[in-house]
Amino acid sequence: MRAESSAAARTGAFVAVAVALFCIQLDFFALNLAIPGMSAELGVTVSAAQWTLSAYMLAIGCFFIVGGRVGDVFGRRGTLLAGIALFTAASVGCALAPGLGLLVAARIAQGVGAAFVFPVSVSVITNTFPDRTRARALGGVFGVANIGTALGPFVGGGFTEGPGWRWIFWLMAPLSLISLLIALVYVPDSRDTSAPRELDLLGCVLIVCSLATLTMAVERGDAWGWDSARTLVFFSVAVVTGGLFLVRERLARHPLIDLRLFRNVPYVLVTGMGSLSNMGYAVTVFLATLYLQGVRGLSPLLAGTVFLAPALLVALSGPLGARLAQHMRPTAVMALAGAVAGTGMYALTLVTAWWLYVPVFAWCGLGLGLGWTFSSVATQQVVPPARAGEASGVLLTFLVTLGAIALAGTAAGISAMTPQRPPEEAYDAILRLGGVVILATAVVVMAVRHRLVVLGRIPPLSMRARGDAGQEAGRQRP
């Protein structure tokens, strides 16, 4: 059911969603630099303090699909309010936590709240704004959220060196409370009226179990040993419960995920390209951090300054994607993002001079940021609005899970290569491989798209006529 909304409701929904996503992005990227401060204040090792990040990623990755579908089935407004309220309360809990155990528990609650907010936010905008302005609204929302991504390291470093890491959470609490109050007043309700108010609870348990064990195996595999019994058991449980989930979804009357979603070829192309872009972003930021501090010898503050250029372009990628969507099909925008990202990653390994490294790094950030940001916009253009939350939840699950796998693979690759070659050569080899894979995928996306146009299944690449915004989705609906 599409929500009939006034201009005030649309503005209020935009502000509420944008502030909520800003808080989520700022919270995660700020906390990375606070780990040493947490470790010192709480009297634990840095490895133990790292669980404040791992627990959050575990929770958010496991509940994206559940959160998106709960919004579609039971109402997006109530789900959004519940998610923001949980995130706000958990932020206060993190700020007040006396020890690591309670801090990790509060971070898990934060992650669950964020997992409900993110996909439902996308579907709220999709069902509140009309077709002609929806892409621009989504692009603006992610533009604001990406400002949080850019500011995160500076906020985290500044608070950790100044009043203390707890002030990161004290900042989140009033901001997310403002988002909650605005959403309470302005966000209209909508839901998938074709679905009964029932949730596939067994499917929820199976997917959460599968994703949780997979994330644990990937996150801790390097520390435990990739061939250790504990790692293999976690991987085995992930595979078995994942298989049972697919069987359950095929047999359930009202599944958590309609598997026919994956017959929607544009959706699969967008999700695949977006996932690769997010993997590339995670790997590039990780390797650039190691390179700037370990090879170039920069201080954390100077390294953070170098990150300003790509961070700025990542923030601009949301509005840029919305503008491109007015002239290009979603799959074409994703392929363009892949071309920019792939060339940037490869070129980053060929330059050493600062006058060239910084703009190439910025170019790389533009492509990668556009890829993973616009994927959330693009999925909403190639699926029916009634299934917006489900589609967004599936996409975000792929983004987070595959991003974690990419980071784990990168760390393992560096460990395997560095005894035989200098670290910078290992970094370059991984970046080149990633760049080639993303470039090749962009070519495949355009080739498949061309084939679908020839078959008459989707419109050609040319500019949409007014009122044609849903045509690609309509022809590819399950």
Side-chain angles (χ1 to χ4, degrees):
M1 179 179 66
R2 298 296 304 280
E4 296 295 333
S5 55
S6 64
R10 290 195 295 270
T11 302
F14 178 90
V15 173
V17 165
V19 173
L21 296 187
F22 172 86
C23 290
I24 292 171
Q25 294 293 90
L26 180 65
D27 173 76
F28 176 74
F29 286 94
L31 211 64
N32 282 279
L33 295 180
I35 296 301
M38 287 182 179
S39 171
E41 180 179 329
L42 299 176
V44 298
T45 64
V46 172
S47 177
Q50 192 74 22
W51 274 103
T52 58
L53 291 179
S54 298
Y56 180 83
M57 292 303 296
L58 184 68
I60 199 171
C62 290
F63 284 91
F64 270 140
I65 291 176
V66 177
R69 193 56 188 153
V70 166
D72 284 345
V73 172
F74 294 103
R76 299 178 178 104
R77 180 178 184 272
T79 305
L80 178 66
L81 294 174
I84 298 175
L86 179 58
F87 184 85
T88 304
S91 297
V92 175
C94 290
L96 296 175
L100 182 63
L102 289 177
L103 178 59
V104 170
R107 287 288 286 168
I108 292 174
Q110 254 194 330
V112 174
F116 275 64
V117 170
F118 223 112
V120 173
S121 293
V122 174
S123 57
V124 162
I125 297 298
T126 297
N127 286 272
T128 302
F129 283 78
D131 292 343
R132 66 182 182 278
T133 59
R134 185 184 305 146
R136 188 163 65 249
L138 284 169
V141 162
F142 282 104
V144 174
N146 287 340
I147 293 174
T149 303
L151 292 178
F154 296 94
V155 171
F159 278 153
T160 301
E161 293 183 11
W165 58 268
R166 295 180 187 273
W167 281 91
I168 298 173
F169 300 110
W170 284 126
L171 175 63
M172 293 302 103
L175 286 178
S176 51
L177 180 60
I178 290 171
S179 171
L180 177 64
L181 295 176
I182 296 174
L184 187 64
V185 175
Y186 289 105
V187 171
D189 201 10
S190 62
R191 59 178 291 267
D192 181 3
T193 55
S194 66
R197 292 179 179 266
E198 298 177 11
L199 194 65
D200 180 14
L201 295 179
L202 179 57
C204 291
V205 172
L206 289 172
I207 191 62
V208 168
C209 182
S210 179
L211 291 172
T213 50
L214 176 62
T215 304
M216 280 291 294
V218 169
E219 286 273 342
R220 310 304 297 174
D222 198 41
W224 293 342
W226 293 105
D227 57 349
S228 69
R230 187 161 34 171
T231 304
L232 295 177
V233 166
F234 272 86
F235 274 126
S236 299
V237 173
V239 171
V240 171
T241 53
L244 291 174
F245 172 75
L246 294 178
V247 173
R248 168 64 183 176
E249 297 309 283
R250 290 181 63 89
L251 299 178
R253 290 183 57 195
H254 305 293
L256 189 65
I257 298 176
D258 188 342
L259 297 180
R260 291 176 297 174
L261 178 68
F262 297 103
R263 298 180 193 171
N264 183 330
V265 180
Y267 177 82
V268 172
L269 294 178
V270 165
T271 300
M273 194 74 248
S275 299
L276 277 177
S277 297
N278 192 57
M279 294 167 73
Y281 183 78
V283 169
T284 302
V285 168
F286 176 60
L287 292 178
T289 302
L290 296 179
Y291 172 76
L292 292 174
Q293 297 186 47
V295 178
R296 287 282 187 173
L298 299 186
S299 67
L301 181 59
L302 284 177
T305 303
V306 174
F307 274 93
L308 275 176
L312 176 62
L313 291 184
V314 167
L316 293 175
S317 64
L320 174 62
R323 184 169 292 276
L324 290 174
Q326 298 174 9
H327 304 278
M328 301 170 65
R329 306 292 178 184
T331 45
V333 177
M334 293 301 298
L336 174 63
V340 174
T343 55
M345 290 179 69
Y346 199 93
L348 206 58
T349 68
L350 304 177
V351 298
T352 55
W354 280 120
W355 65 271
L356 193 55
Y357 183 90
V358 173
V360 170
F361 194 17
W363 173 263
C364 186
L366 174 64
L368 293 170
L370 179 61
W372 68 261
T373 297
F374 187 74
S375 59
S376 290
V377 181
T379 53
Q380 303 303 291
Q381 296 179 312
V382 297
V383 297
R387 311 288 293 194
E390 174 190 354
S392 179
V394 172
L395 167 71
L396 292 168
T397 300
F398 275 106
L399 293 184
V400 171
T401 304
L402 293 179
I405 291 174
L407 281 177
T410 299
I414 292 172
S415 299
M417 287 188 282
T418 44
Q420 293 81 26
R421 60 178 73 180
E424 59 267 32
E425 290 187 13
Y427 306 157
D428 288 346
I430 294 171
L431 282 174
R432 287 179 187 136
L433 175 62
V436 168
V437 169
I438 291 177
L439 271 174
T441 305
V443 173
V444 170
V445 167
M446 289 308 295
V448 173
R449 191 188 198 292
H450 175 72
R451 180 61 178 167
L452 293 175
V453 171
V454 171
L455 295 175
R457 296 180 62 185
I458 61 176
L461 191 60
S462 59
M463 168 67 177
R464 288 188 188 86
R466 185 178 294 273
D468 184 38
Q471 187 174 0
E472 186 161 349
R475 293 190 186 183
Q476 279 292 326
R477 286 179 188 170

